[in-house]
């Protein structure tokens, strides 16, 4: 398929809860080969790959329409270009098997058990890679902040928590494809119920939903009067209300957000002990808070988790890695698949 040996044309797709983004990415094939072949640990990639064109389509509430939306977004990009595409990558939230088939898909339940790759290959005639969306973000983060052999964790803090693990330059998928799901690490077996069937999962505390829960818990015990007043009732307190008041310096909201940052630090400490990353990139909606979050997390790590934080220099970056990073990562994964299949 690759007619120009210097460049591969890849389309990456990020399937979100409300929107699906497809991005067209041109990648230097030779550059990739070089990085892999030399294993150059000190060589920072000269230029991070960038998105050339993008197409955003709103997701329908009809789950079965998601596949149609992906096809529509890809077709729209092809219509605006020379129609050349060598591979397609798709990032989906959930447990995605090594066969590319979703076992869970909170943003698109209709895709559970569906061979999306086969459907897209039948339509567009090119190889297709399907992966977890946070895995895609981790691969994109490595291209932006890492070296070809660095170890990077991406943790996305949104409605839930997603994760992607790049170890020594390679995405780690695990035995079944399910590695990098730190949101369901149990940090309190007596904690609140999680839709996954467990109790006290990390994402019950350290996601946007968790922040809302911490806010409601504080308000219910009379500890968050301003937050309660802004939301109108305890039930209506969510992570956004707490964040908004925290950014205005309201004391109760600052206290809740500090507790929240402590839970983020707790999970990161466990991940740091396990993987010893060089860089941790925080993505997802809460990354928009920026340094106010990472400063609290860094301080908490040093204070409460010395075993995880001493004698190491870990950069914790808050990067608003939105759907574009997911789409870019999906494109990078698809391009790598091309290289492996010898195209
Ligand atoms: Zn869970």
């Amino acid at each position: 398929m690759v007619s120009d040996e210097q460049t591969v044309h890849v389309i990456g797709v990020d399937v979100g809860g409300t929107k699906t983004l497809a991005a067209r990415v041109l990648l230097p094939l030779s550059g990739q080969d070089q990085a892999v072949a030399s294993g150059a640990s000190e060589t920072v990639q000269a230029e991070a790959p960038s998105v050339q064109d993008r197409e955003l389509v709103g997701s329908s509430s009809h789950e079965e329409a998601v596949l149609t939306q992906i096809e529509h977004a890809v077709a729209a990009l092809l219509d605006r270009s020379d129609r050349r595409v060598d591979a397609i990558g798709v990032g989906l939230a959930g447990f995605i098997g090594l066969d590319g088939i979703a076992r869970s898909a909170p943003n698109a339940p209709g895709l559970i058990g569906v061979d999306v790759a086969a459907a897209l290959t039948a339509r567009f005639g090119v190889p297709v890679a399907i992966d977890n969306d946070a895995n895609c973000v981790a691969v994109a983060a490595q291209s932006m902040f890492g070296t070809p052999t660095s170890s990077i964790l991406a943790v996305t803090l949104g409605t839930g928590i997603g994760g992607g693990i790049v170890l020594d330059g390679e995405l780690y998928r695990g035995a079944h494809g399910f590695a990098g799901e730190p949101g369901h690490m149990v940090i309190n077996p007596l904690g609140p119920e999680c839709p996954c069937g467990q109790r006290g999962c990390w994402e019950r505390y350290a996601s946007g939903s968790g922040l809302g829960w911490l806010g409601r818990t504080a308000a219910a015990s009379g500890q968050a009067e301003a937050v309660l007043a802004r939301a109108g009732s305890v039930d209506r307190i969510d992570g956004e209300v707490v964040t908004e008041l925290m950014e205005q310096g309201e004391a109760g909201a600052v206290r809740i957000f500090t507790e929240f940052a402590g839970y983020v630090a707790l999970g990161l400490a466990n991940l740091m002990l396990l993987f010893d990353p060089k860089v941790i990139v925080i993505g997802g909606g809460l990354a928009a808070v920026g340094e106010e979050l990472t400063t609290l997390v860094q301080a908490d790590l040093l204070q409460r988790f010395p075993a995880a934080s001493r004698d190491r220099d870990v950069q914790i970056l808050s990067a608003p890695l939105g759907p574009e990073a997911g789409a870019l990562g999906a494109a990078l994964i698809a391009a790598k698949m091309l290289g492996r299949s010898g195209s």
Side-chain angles (χ1 to χ4, degrees):
M1 288 304 296
V2 182
S3 52
D4 170 1
E5 69 267 16
Q6 298 302 314
T7 313
V8 285
H9 296 225
V10 195
I11 290 177
V13 183
D14 182 83
V15 180
T18 54
K19 291 186 178 87
T20 291
L21 176 78
R24 185 175 161 79
V25 181
L26 308 185
L27 296 165
L29 188 60
S30 57
Q32 278 204 331
D33 288 349
Q34 216 176 334
V36 172
S38 68
S41 59
E42 302 304 321
T43 313
V44 177
Q45 288 170 0
E47 202 178 310
S50 62
V51 167
Q52 305 284 314
D53 190 10
R54 61 211 295 284
E55 176 72 19
L56 191 63
V57 295
S59 290
S60 155
S61 54
H62 300 291
E63 299 119 12
E64 68 273 19
V66 175
L67 186 54
T68 311
Q69 286 153 14
I70 296 171
E71 291 181 352
H72 175 81
V74 171
L77 283 179
L78 290 177
D79 282 345
R80 289 208 297 274
S81 66
D82 58 5
R83 300 202 62 81
R84 179 179 160 188
V85 60
D86 300 314
I88 298 169
V90 178
L92 279 179
F95 285 76
I96 313 299
L98 291 174
D99 53 8
I101 294 176
R103 269 61 177 185
S104 77
N107 290 339
L111 293 185
I112 294 171
V114 174
D115 194 341
V116 175
L120 293 178
T121 295
R123 165 85 189 261
F124 297 105
V126 295
V128 175
I130 313 286
D131 217 313
N132 170 272
D133 60 346
N135 283 359
C136 295
V137 171
V139 169
Q142 189 206 13
S143 77
M144 295 178 217
F145 307 115
T147 69
T149 57
S150 57
S151 293
I152 287 187
L153 299 183
V155 175
T156 58
L157 308 181
T159 310
I161 296 181
I165 305 160
V166 172
L167 290 180
D168 303 329
E170 291 290 329
L171 181 63
Y172 180 71
R173 291 191 174 81
H176 309 92
F178 303 154
E181 286 291 342
H184 300 288
M185 298 188 306
V186 174
I187 63 167
N188 177 6
L190 303 177
E193 285 180 6
C194 181
C196 77
Q198 301 179 161
R199 276 183 174 276
C201 291
W202 186 35
E203 73 174 33
R204 292 299 95 210
Y205 301 86
S207 65
S209 314
L211 179 57
W213 180 78
L214 292 170
R216 291 191 294 279
T217 304
S221 60
Q223 305 288 306
E225 281 171 23
V227 173
L228 180 55
R230 175 65 62 93
S233 68
V234 171
D235 287 350
R236 288 164 72 176
I237 296 174
D238 60 14
E240 284 171 22
V241 173
V242 177
T243 302
E244 186 191 329
L245 287 179
M246 177 279 293
E247 286 174 337
Q248 292 167 15
E250 195 281 316
V254 169
R255 211 163 42 235
I256 296 163
F257 198 87
T258 304
E259 183 186 9
F260 165 77
Y263 281 115
V264 175
L266 188 163
L268 292 187
N270 289 337
L271 294 173
M272 286 158 74
L273 287 163
L274 203 53
F275 296 112
D276 188 20
K278 175 72 181 157
V279 179
I280 297 176
V281 177
I282 295 178
L286 276 153
V289 175
E291 281 188 18
E292 279 171 296
L293 174 60
T294 50
T295 303
L296 286 171
V297 168
Q298 289 273 20
D300 199 74
L301 278 168
L302 292 171
Q303 199 182 335
R304 291 199 301 153
F305 304 102
S309 59
R310 73 177 161 230
D311 297 330
R312 55 186 98 194
D313 171 25
V314 185
Q315 268 182 287
I316 300 182
L317 304 173
S318 175
L321 297 174
E324 192 147 316
L328 173 62
L332 290 166
I333 288 171
K336 185 149 195 185
M337 171 191 68
L338 270 188
R340 278 202 186 124
S341 66
S343 301

